[in-house]
């Protein structure tokens, strides 16, 4: 079974901090994704990566950056956290055009 | 830009009844996928239907796709309390998925 692991289930940070959210998958998937999920808005794609060191902007990349130095790891970075970035963050991975496998999410609160 | 739009937003039924959720989308798709999310957890893939397919079954799930109407439906038969979750449709476009806002299903024991 594919396992996508997000480093934290819950995280509390302060405005202006640099925040790192980590995601690791164990199935050698090329594609990895970061979404945020907010009530009434569904899932929105922040960034995705289809290979090591490759990244593409999704629908809402502003305020975020990503890093993919190794195939199994995809990091989401909030350069200077703001309260409107309080949300549930979900990481996913997939092989080619196959369905995506999700982690359990990180509920991030920015105070 | 979201593709899918689920209807209804919330659905409450008795155990044993069937649950139907609908999804409408806006542009041409390669495939449409349905996912389930238990409270506080990640999404789990349920079923994928390709644009050249009209109906697909998986256990108690039945998915239909009407590309002329740009709509899909998910039917869960003989529902169980454990089916309580949010259900999302997602359309595949440009190499990634666009998700709808989901239908919250509650199955009352």
């Amino acid at each position: 079974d594919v396992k996508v692991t997000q480093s934290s289930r819950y995280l509390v940070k302060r405005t202006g901090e640099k925040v790192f959210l980590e995601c690791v998958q164990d199935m050698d998937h090329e594609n990895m994704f970061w979404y945020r999920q907010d009530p009434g808005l569904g899932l929105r794609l922040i960034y995705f990566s289809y290979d090591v060191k490759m990244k593409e902007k999704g629908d809402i990349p502003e305020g975020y950056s990503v890093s993919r130095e190794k195939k199994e790891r995809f990091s989401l970075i909030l350069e200077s956290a703001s309260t409107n970035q309080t949300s549930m963050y979900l990481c996913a991975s997939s092989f080619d055009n196959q369905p995506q496998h999700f982690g359990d999410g990180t509920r991030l609160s920015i105070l | 830009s979201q593709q899918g739009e689920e209807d209804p937003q919330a659905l409450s039924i008795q155990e044993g009844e069937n649950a139907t959720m609908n999804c409408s989308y806006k542009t041409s798709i390669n495939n449409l996928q349905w996912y389930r999310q238990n409270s506080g957890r990640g999404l789990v893939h349920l079923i994928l239907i390709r644009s050249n397919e009209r109906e697909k079954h998986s256990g108690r799930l039945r998915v239909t796709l009407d590309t002329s109407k740009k709509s899909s439906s998910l039917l869960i038969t003989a529902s169980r309390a454990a089916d309580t979750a949010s259900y999302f449709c997602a359309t595949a476009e440009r190499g990634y998925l666009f998700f709808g806002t989901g239908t919250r299903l509650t199955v009352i024991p």
Side-chain angles (χ1 to χ4, degrees):
Chain A
D1 244 8
V2 176
K3 191 155 181 66
V4 179
T5 303
Q6 294 184 230
S7 53
S8 305
R9 289 297 306 276
Y10 301 94
L11 205 54
V12 179
K13 296 291 182 180
R14 298 211 172 270
T15 54
E17 279 192 69
K18 191 169 186 176
V19 181
F20 293 85
L21 302 183
E22 306 286 346
C23 176
V24 177
Q25 51 95 2
D26 66 357
M27 281 301 289
D28 205 36
H29 286 167
E30 295 97 347
N31 303 322
M32 295 189 75
F33 308 84
W34 275 107
Y35 297 89
R36 66 176 281 176
Q37 183 177 23
D38 299 288
L41 297 177
L43 275 76
R44 293 178 292 167
L45 182 67
I46 305 171
Y47 269 98
F48 71 102
S49 168
Y50 52 87
D51 203 350
V52 175
K53 297 192 187 296
M54 308 299 287
K55 61 184 179 184
E56 293 279 346
K57 292 180 180 179
D59 292 332
I60 50 164
E62 296 80 18
Y64 303 94
S65 62
V66 289
S67 172
R68 193 158 180 211
E69 295 297 317
K70 293 184 177 181
K71 194 173 185 180
E72 67 270 19
R73 186 180 297 270
F74 193 35
S75 303
L76 179 70
I77 304 153
L78 285 66
E79 297 291 343
S80 178
S82 63
T83 54
N84 63 11
Q85 292 177 309
T86 291
S87 186
M88 171 74 122
Y89 289 86
L90 291 162
C91 175
S93 72
S94 73
F95 174 72
D96 200 16
N97 288 318
Q98 298 302 305
Q100 295 181 15
H101 298 263
F102 282 81
D104 277 339
T106 295
R107 191 166 293 281
L108 175 64
S109 296
I110 307 295
L111 304 179
Chain B
S1 56
Q2 288 175 350
Q3 264 274 39
E5 196 72 37
E6 287 91 344
D7 171 59
Q9 289 186 331
L11 180 60
S12 185
I13 59 174
Q14 295 289 332
E15 201 166 28
E17 293 180 341
N18 295 341
T20 300
M21 289 159 264
N22 303 298
C23 170
S24 59
Y25 57 92
K26 296 175 184 172
T27 63
S28 298
I29 59 171
N30 297 318
N31 64 65
L32 187 142
Q33 302 176 31
W34 285 91
Y35 287 79
R36 164 198 168 119
Q37 184 181 34
N38 288 345
S39 182
R41 304 300 295 272
L43 278 72
V44 175
H45 176 257
L46 294 176
I47 197 164
L48 180 153
I49 186 164
R50 293 186 169 77
S51 57
N52 61 352
E53 297 176 309
R54 291 295 168 258
E55 188 170 312
K56 202 160 182 181
H57 297 254
S58 176
R60 293 184 296 112
L61 306 180
R62 173 179 165 246
V63 168
T64 62
L65 179 64
D66 187 335
T67 52
S68 67
K69 295 181 179 177
K70 291 186 169 57
S71 67
S72 173
S73 67
L74 170 67
L75 168 67
I76 304 173
T77 60
S79 64
R80 304 166 182 168
D83 294 328
T84 293
S86 292
Y87 293 82
F88 296 86
C89 67
T91 52
E93 182 188 355
R94 289 188 272 127
Y96 56 91
L97 295 178
F98 290 93
F99 285 86
T101 53
T103 292
R104 175 71 191 164
L105 173 65
T106 301
V107 181
I108 303 165

